[in-house]
Amino acid sequence: MLYSPALRRSDTIVALSTPPGLGAIGVVRLSGPEAVAVAARCFRGHDLTQQASHTVHVGWFVGPGGQPLDEVVAALFHGPRSYTKEDVVELSFHGSPYILQTALAQLVAAGARLAEPGEFTLRAYLNGRFDLTQAEAVADLIAADNAAAHKLALQHLRGGFGQALQALRSQLVDFAALVEVELDFAEEDVEFADRSQLRALVTRALAEVRRLAAGFGAGNALKHGIPTVIVGRPNAGKSTLLNRLLGDDRAIVSPVAGTTRDVIEDSFVLGGYRFRLMDTAGLRDTTDLIEAEGVRRSLDRVRQAALVLYVFDPADEPLTQARQALAQLPALPDAHRLLIANKQDISPLAPEPDVIRLSALQDAALEPLTVALTQFAEGFQPAGVVAANQRHADTLGRCATQLEAVQHALDAGLSGELLALDLRMALAAIGELTGEVSSDEVLGAIFGKFCIGK
Ligand SMILES: Nc1nc2c(ncn2[C@@H]2O[C@H](COP(=O)(O)OP(=O)(O)OP(=O)(O)O)[C@@H](O)[C@H]2O)c(=O)[nH]1
Ligand SMILES: [Mg+2]
């Protein structure tokens, strides 16, 4: 869906802001120039059009045929001191789907239009309440289902992400203007824009863009779960461990070596962090085609994981061999590797500093492992604010390319015209990130993902 915000911003919009279905309370929200007037038309009590901002009023909402529908509380927020910076009215009803549907229809009849998904937040953005990365953070905040994702969204909502770039962008704008002025004096061969200062600024912007982009993997992992793979030889108890961590009988467990063939994936939250856990086929040389494919897939997951859990049964695989196998796995250079000696109830191992010993089958709590997992997650937190979604990562990539082009233009002493062009493109890329430069298409893609009423 494409937005044409300019056409629609004069509309007064209405939507249910609480989840559909039965609830103690259901909130219907109005925003726009006619918000108070529309609400007042359906409200018996104080004349809402005569009340001060930031006040609440108890009264009756009048339904079809002038019949009272429900006793409600109306909260008034006059723009710009509201979420959308427009006049906003929030009506709290008893949470009956019948009442709420009827009320919505009544408010539409009284002059409001049903809101599109994310339209309240779109307006807040268009009215300058926050930049685009903050608007996106509102959606992330609502979707956050663990403490780490919540913290990340909150950082973005506070504006940490856009602000640093906005500051750099406005300095670059000044330089771009100076370079363009030079073009007007091309004959006279003057330089208004100090090239070494410009270079330092571009270097700083590039460093910031790269830092934000580098954190994307971590930011994304915190949102969707830290990719954690369980590997080891067949029968080591990998699937048993997965089931225990998930608290669910997700994977088939059997004494037959080679039970798991495909990757089994699910996520769980531990200590406020989400882990995306993958159980894999046991690693061994095999002539069985299907099992060999399973092993190939296991190694594929190892290559993508931030955390590799190597499970072994000391009775089947001596410690030194397990250590070696773990070290030889094709994991990412910064992936964290943990060695887990399983089946301690039947094949006990003496304590070793690099080994977590447990019995996935017997232990009431998997304490040493859960402690290690939480510790890892804490250390995994990216420093400062980082890119959190694919759009940010893509746009940051383009910013970096454009800034590198500016750097190159400066190094090569290219003409003012070319430099000005590169600068303009770099500015456009940064502006796209913060929303200073935005197209309806971008806005549609972002706000279309919101729920209605936000
Ligand atoms: N005694 C004991 N048995 C265990 C423990 N963990 C797993 N087992 C048993 O070991 C056998 C293999 O367990 P699985 O979880 O299927 O092993 P796996 O590593 O997933 O095996 P594959 O899928 O074949 O690679 C099953 O019979 C489990 O019940 C444990 O801590 N103690
Ligand atoms: Mg298995």
PDB file of all heavy atoms in Angstrom, residues 210-233:
ATOM      1  N   ARG A 210      29.766   3.169   9.745  1.00  0.00           N
ATOM      2  CA  ARG A 210      30.284   1.796   9.819  1.00  0.00           C
ATOM      3  C   ARG A 210      30.007   1.171  11.175  1.00  0.00           C
ATOM      4  O   ARG A 210      29.709  -0.009  11.285  1.00  0.00           O
ATOM      5  CB  ARG A 210      31.790   1.791   9.544  1.00  0.00           C
ATOM      6  CG  ARG A 210      32.089   1.975   8.070  1.00  0.00           C
ATOM      7  CD  ARG A 210      33.535   1.640   7.763  1.00  0.00           C
ATOM      8  NE  ARG A 210      33.831   1.871   6.367  1.00  0.00           N
ATOM      9  CZ  ARG A 210      34.867   2.576   5.931  1.00  0.00           C
ATOM     10  NH1 ARG A 210      35.720   3.118   6.802  1.00  0.00           N
ATOM     11  NH2 ARG A 210      35.068   2.724   4.648  1.00  0.00           N
ATOM     12  N   ARG A 211      30.108   1.996  12.235  1.00  0.00           N
ATOM     13  CA  ARG A 211      29.848   1.472  13.580  1.00  0.00           C
ATOM     14  C   ARG A 211      28.386   1.024  13.691  1.00  0.00           C
ATOM     15  O   ARG A 211      28.087  -0.064  14.182  1.00  0.00           O
ATOM     16  CB  ARG A 211      30.130   2.542  14.634  1.00  0.00           C
ATOM     17  CG  ARG A 211      30.122   2.022  16.066  1.00  0.00           C
ATOM     18  CD  ARG A 211      30.138   3.146  17.080  1.00  0.00           C
ATOM     19  NE  ARG A 211      28.925   3.923  17.083  1.00  0.00           N
ATOM     20  CZ  ARG A 211      27.767   3.504  17.595  1.00  0.00           C
ATOM     21  NH1 ARG A 211      27.688   2.311  18.149  1.00  0.00           N
ATOM     22  NH2 ARG A 211      26.693   4.264  17.552  1.00  0.00           N
ATOM     23  N   LEU A 212      27.498   1.866  13.206  1.00  0.00           N
ATOM     24  CA  LEU A 212      26.078   1.526  13.270  1.00  0.00           C
ATOM     25  C   LEU A 212      25.780   0.256  12.473  1.00  0.00           C
ATOM     26  O   LEU A 212      25.020  -0.603  12.901  1.00  0.00           O
ATOM     27  CB  LEU A 212      25.231   2.679  12.725  1.00  0.00           C
ATOM     28  CG  LEU A 212      25.158   3.927  13.598  1.00  0.00           C
ATOM     29  CD1 LEU A 212      24.572   5.103  12.819  1.00  0.00           C
ATOM     30  CD2 LEU A 212      24.339   3.675  14.851  1.00  0.00           C
ATOM     31  N   ALA A 213      26.420   0.157  11.311  1.00  0.00           N
ATOM     32  CA  ALA A 213      26.167  -1.001  10.452  1.00  0.00           C
ATOM     33  C   ALA A 213      26.759  -2.274  11.064  1.00  0.00           C
ATOM     34  O   ALA A 213      26.152  -3.342  11.000  1.00  0.00           O
ATOM     35  CB  ALA A 213      26.744  -0.767   9.064  1.00  0.00           C
ATOM     36  N   ALA A 214      27.927  -2.134  11.681  1.00  0.00           N
ATOM     37  CA  ALA A 214      28.603  -3.311  12.230  1.00  0.00           C
ATOM     38  C   ALA A 214      27.775  -3.946  13.330  1.00  0.00           C
ATOM     39  O   ALA A 214      27.812  -5.155  13.545  1.00  0.00           O
ATOM     40  CB  ALA A 214      29.979  -2.925  12.763  1.00  0.00           C
ATOM     41  N   GLY A 215      27.001  -3.134  14.043  1.00  0.00           N
ATOM     42  CA  GLY A 215      26.205  -3.684  15.139  1.00  0.00           C
ATOM     43  C   GLY A 215      24.941  -4.371  14.670  1.00  0.00           C
ATOM     44  O   GLY A 215      24.202  -4.932  15.472  1.00  0.00           O
ATOM     45  N   PHE A 216      24.697  -4.337  13.356  1.00  0.00           N
ATOM     46  CA  PHE A 216      23.418  -4.864  12.860  1.00  0.00           C
ATOM     47  C   PHE A 216      23.204  -6.330  13.241  1.00  0.00           C
ATOM     48  O   PHE A 216      22.144  -6.698  13.711  1.00  0.00           O
ATOM     49  CB  PHE A 216      23.322  -4.692  11.340  1.00  0.00           C
ATOM     50  CG  PHE A 216      22.124  -5.365  10.751  1.00  0.00           C
ATOM     51  CD1 PHE A 216      20.844  -4.945  11.086  1.00  0.00           C
ATOM     52  CD2 PHE A 216      22.261  -6.432   9.884  1.00  0.00           C
ATOM     53  CE1 PHE A 216      19.726  -5.562  10.556  1.00  0.00           C
ATOM     54  CE2 PHE A 216      21.145  -7.060   9.347  1.00  0.00           C
ATOM     55  CZ  PHE A 216      19.882  -6.624   9.688  1.00  0.00           C
ATOM     56  N   GLY A 217      24.255  -7.136  13.048  1.00  0.00           N
ATOM     57  CA  GLY A 217      24.131  -8.561  13.361  1.00  0.00           C
ATOM     58  C   GLY A 217      23.699  -8.765  14.807  1.00  0.00           C
ATOM     59  O   GLY A 217      22.768  -9.508  15.093  1.00  0.00           O
ATOM     60  N   ALA A 218      24.354  -8.037  15.705  1.00  0.00           N
ATOM     61  CA  ALA A 218      24.037  -8.176  17.127  1.00  0.00           C
ATOM     62  C   ALA A 218      22.643  -7.633  17.420  1.00  0.00           C
ATOM     63  O   ALA A 218      21.862  -8.256  18.134  1.00  0.00           O
ATOM     64  CB  ALA A 218      25.085  -7.450  17.962  1.00  0.00           C
ATOM     65  N   GLY A 219      22.327  -6.460  16.852  1.00  0.00           N
ATOM     66  CA  GLY A 219      21.012  -5.860  17.087  1.00  0.00           C
ATOM     67  C   GLY A 219      19.904  -6.779  16.594  1.00  0.00           C
ATOM     68  O   GLY A 219      18.905  -7.005  17.272  1.00  0.00           O
ATOM     69  N   ASN A 220      20.112  -7.337  15.425  1.00  0.00           N
ATOM     70  CA  ASN A 220      19.139  -8.232  14.834  1.00  0.00           C
ATOM     71  C   ASN A 220      18.981  -9.499  15.681  1.00  0.00           C
ATOM     72  O   ASN A 220      17.877  -9.985  15.902  1.00  0.00           O
ATOM     73  CB  ASN A 220      19.610  -8.605  13.423  1.00  0.00           C
ATOM     74  CG  ASN A 220      18.478  -9.086  12.567  1.00  0.00           C
ATOM     75  OD1 ASN A 220      17.402  -8.495  12.599  1.00  0.00           O
ATOM     76  ND2 ASN A 220      18.692 -10.154  11.833  1.00  0.00           N
ATOM     77  N   ALA A 221      20.125  -9.994  16.165  1.00  0.00           N
ATOM     78  CA  ALA A 221      20.088 -11.207  16.980  1.00  0.00           C
ATOM     79  C   ALA A 221      19.326 -10.964  18.275  1.00  0.00           C
ATOM     80  O   ALA A 221      18.592 -11.825  18.740  1.00  0.00           O
ATOM     81  CB  ALA A 221      21.499 -11.695  17.272  1.00  0.00           C
ATOM     82  N   LEU A 222      19.504  -9.767  18.851  1.00  0.00           N
ATOM     83  CA  LEU A 222      18.801  -9.477  20.099  1.00  0.00           C
ATOM     84  C   LEU A 222      17.305  -9.424  19.857  1.00  0.00           C
ATOM     85  O   LEU A 222      16.506  -9.798  20.705  1.00  0.00           O
ATOM     86  CB  LEU A 222      19.282  -8.158  20.697  1.00  0.00           C
ATOM     87  CG  LEU A 222      20.665  -8.221  21.328  1.00  0.00           C
ATOM     88  CD1 LEU A 222      21.077  -6.864  21.851  1.00  0.00           C
ATOM     89  CD2 LEU A 222      20.689  -9.235  22.465  1.00  0.00           C
ATOM     90  N   LYS A 223      16.931  -8.945  18.672  1.00  0.00           N
ATOM     91  CA  LYS A 223      15.510  -8.850  18.353  1.00  0.00           C
ATOM     92  C   LYS A 223      14.915 -10.230  18.083  1.00  0.00           C
ATOM     93  O   LYS A 223      13.875 -10.584  18.603  1.00  0.00           O
ATOM     94  CB  LYS A 223      15.339  -7.989  17.095  1.00  0.00           C
ATOM     95  CG  LYS A 223      14.458  -6.781  17.336  1.00  0.00           C
ATOM     96  CD  LYS A 223      14.627  -5.745  16.267  1.00  0.00           C
ATOM     97  CE  LYS A 223      13.737  -5.983  15.078  1.00  0.00           C
ATOM     98  NZ  LYS A 223      13.846  -4.904  14.098  1.00  0.00           N
ATOM     99  N   HIS A 224      15.592 -11.000  17.244  1.00  0.00           N
ATOM    100  CA  HIS A 224      15.002 -12.262  16.803  1.00  0.00           C
ATOM    101  C   HIS A 224      15.568 -13.479  17.523  1.00  0.00           C
ATOM    102  O   HIS A 224      15.148 -14.597  17.263  1.00  0.00           O
ATOM    103  CB  HIS A 224      15.187 -12.421  15.290  1.00  0.00           C
ATOM    104  CG  HIS A 224      14.564 -11.306  14.523  1.00  0.00           C
ATOM    105  ND1 HIS A 224      13.202 -11.126  14.471  1.00  0.00           N
ATOM    106  CD2 HIS A 224      15.096 -10.285  13.820  1.00  0.00           C
ATOM    107  CE1 HIS A 224      12.927 -10.057  13.751  1.00  0.00           C
ATOM    108  NE2 HIS A 224      14.052  -9.525  13.346  1.00  0.00           N
ATOM    109  N   GLY A 225      16.552 -13.292  18.371  1.00  0.00           N
ATOM    110  CA  GLY A 225      17.134 -14.410  19.093  1.00  0.00           C
ATOM    111  C   GLY A 225      18.585 -14.622  18.673  1.00  0.00           C
ATOM    112  O   GLY A 225      18.901 -14.568  17.491  1.00  0.00           O
ATOM    113  N   ILE A 226      19.436 -14.893  19.651  1.00  0.00           N
ATOM    114  CA  ILE A 226      20.853 -15.130  19.356  1.00  0.00           C
ATOM    115  C   ILE A 226      20.977 -16.500  18.688  1.00  0.00           C
ATOM    116  O   ILE A 226      20.564 -17.517  19.266  1.00  0.00           O
ATOM    117  CB  ILE A 226      21.665 -15.093  20.668  1.00  0.00           C
ATOM    118  CG1 ILE A 226      21.550 -13.696  21.307  1.00  0.00           C
ATOM    119  CG2 ILE A 226      23.114 -15.477  20.425  1.00  0.00           C
ATOM    120  CD1 ILE A 226      22.054 -13.624  22.730  1.00  0.00           C
ATOM    121  N   PRO A 227      21.512 -16.542  17.462  1.00  0.00           N
ATOM    122  CA  PRO A 227      21.597 -17.836  16.778  1.00  0.00           C
ATOM    123  C   PRO A 227      22.542 -18.791  17.511  1.00  0.00           C
ATOM    124  O   PRO A 227      23.743 -18.540  17.623  1.00  0.00           O
ATOM    125  CB  PRO A 227      22.128 -17.485  15.389  1.00  0.00           C
ATOM    126  CG  PRO A 227      22.607 -16.083  15.457  1.00  0.00           C
ATOM    127  CD  PRO A 227      21.997 -15.428  16.653  1.00  0.00           C
ATOM    128  N   THR A 228      21.979 -19.882  18.018  1.00  0.00           N
ATOM    129  CA  THR A 228      22.711 -20.826  18.854  1.00  0.00           C
ATOM    130  C   THR A 228      22.529 -22.218  18.269  1.00  0.00           C
ATOM    131  O   THR A 228      21.400 -22.683  18.121  1.00  0.00           O
ATOM    132  CB  THR A 228      22.133 -20.791  20.285  1.00  0.00           C
ATOM    133  OG1 THR A 228      22.160 -19.444  20.753  1.00  0.00           O
ATOM    134  CG2 THR A 228      22.912 -21.680  21.219  1.00  0.00           C
ATOM    135  N   VAL A 229      23.639 -22.872  17.934  1.00  0.00           N
ATOM    136  CA  VAL A 229      23.519 -24.185  17.305  1.00  0.00           C
ATOM    137  C   VAL A 229      24.041 -25.265  18.255  1.00  0.00           C
ATOM    138  O   VAL A 229      25.033 -25.065  18.960  1.00  0.00           O
ATOM    139  CB  VAL A 229      24.253 -24.198  15.933  1.00  0.00           C
ATOM    140  CG1 VAL A 229      25.744 -24.027  16.089  1.00  0.00           C
ATOM    141  CG2 VAL A 229      23.938 -25.456  15.165  1.00  0.00           C
ATOM    142  N   ILE A 230      23.314 -26.386  18.289  1.00  0.00           N
ATOM    143  CA  ILE A 230      23.747 -27.541  19.093  1.00  0.00           C
ATOM    144  C   ILE A 230      24.304 -28.570  18.118  1.00  0.00           C
ATOM    145  O   ILE A 230      23.591 -29.026  17.219  1.00  0.00           O
ATOM    146  CB  ILE A 230      22.554 -28.166  19.854  1.00  0.00           C
ATOM    147  CG1 ILE A 230      21.845 -27.108  20.715  1.00  0.00           C
ATOM    148  CG2 ILE A 230      23.038 -29.321  20.718  1.00  0.00           C
ATOM    149  CD1 ILE A 230      20.627 -27.659  21.454  1.00  0.00           C
ATOM    150  N   VAL A 231      25.580 -28.913  18.285  1.00  0.00           N
ATOM    151  CA  VAL A 231      26.190 -29.909  17.407  1.00  0.00           C
ATOM    152  C   VAL A 231      26.898 -30.971  18.240  1.00  0.00           C
ATOM    153  O   VAL A 231      27.091 -30.821  19.447  1.00  0.00           O
ATOM    154  CB  VAL A 231      27.229 -29.297  16.430  1.00  0.00           C
ATOM    155  CG1 VAL A 231      26.546 -28.634  15.264  1.00  0.00           C
ATOM    156  CG2 VAL A 231      28.164 -28.356  17.134  1.00  0.00           C
ATOM    157  N   GLY A 232      27.309 -32.037  17.568  1.00  0.00           N
ATOM    158  CA  GLY A 232      28.028 -33.100  18.256  1.00  0.00           C
ATOM    159  C   GLY A 232      27.815 -34.401  17.506  1.00  0.00           C
ATOM    160  O   GLY A 232      27.114 -34.419  16.485  1.00  0.00           O
ATOM    161  N   ARG A 233      28.417 -35.464  18.030  1.00  0.00           N
ATOM    162  CA  ARG A 233      28.278 -36.755  17.363  1.00  0.00           C
ATOM    163  C   ARG A 233      26.860 -37.298  17.572  1.00  0.00           C
ATOM    164  O   ARG A 233      26.161 -36.867  18.480  1.00  0.00           O
ATOM    165  CB  ARG A 233      29.321 -37.729  17.917  1.00  0.00           C
ATOM    166  CG  ARG A 233      30.751 -37.361  17.518  1.00  0.00           C
ATOM    167  CD  ARG A 233      31.766 -38.378  18.006  1.00  0.00           C
ATOM    168  NE  ARG A 233      31.344 -39.752  17.768  1.00  0.00           N
ATOM    169  CZ  ARG A 233      31.342 -40.362  16.578  1.00  0.00           C
ATOM    170  NH1 ARG A 233      31.762 -39.713  15.521  1.00  0.00           N
ATOM    171  NH2 ARG A 233      30.943 -41.610  16.459  1.00  0.00           N
TER     172      ARG A 233
END
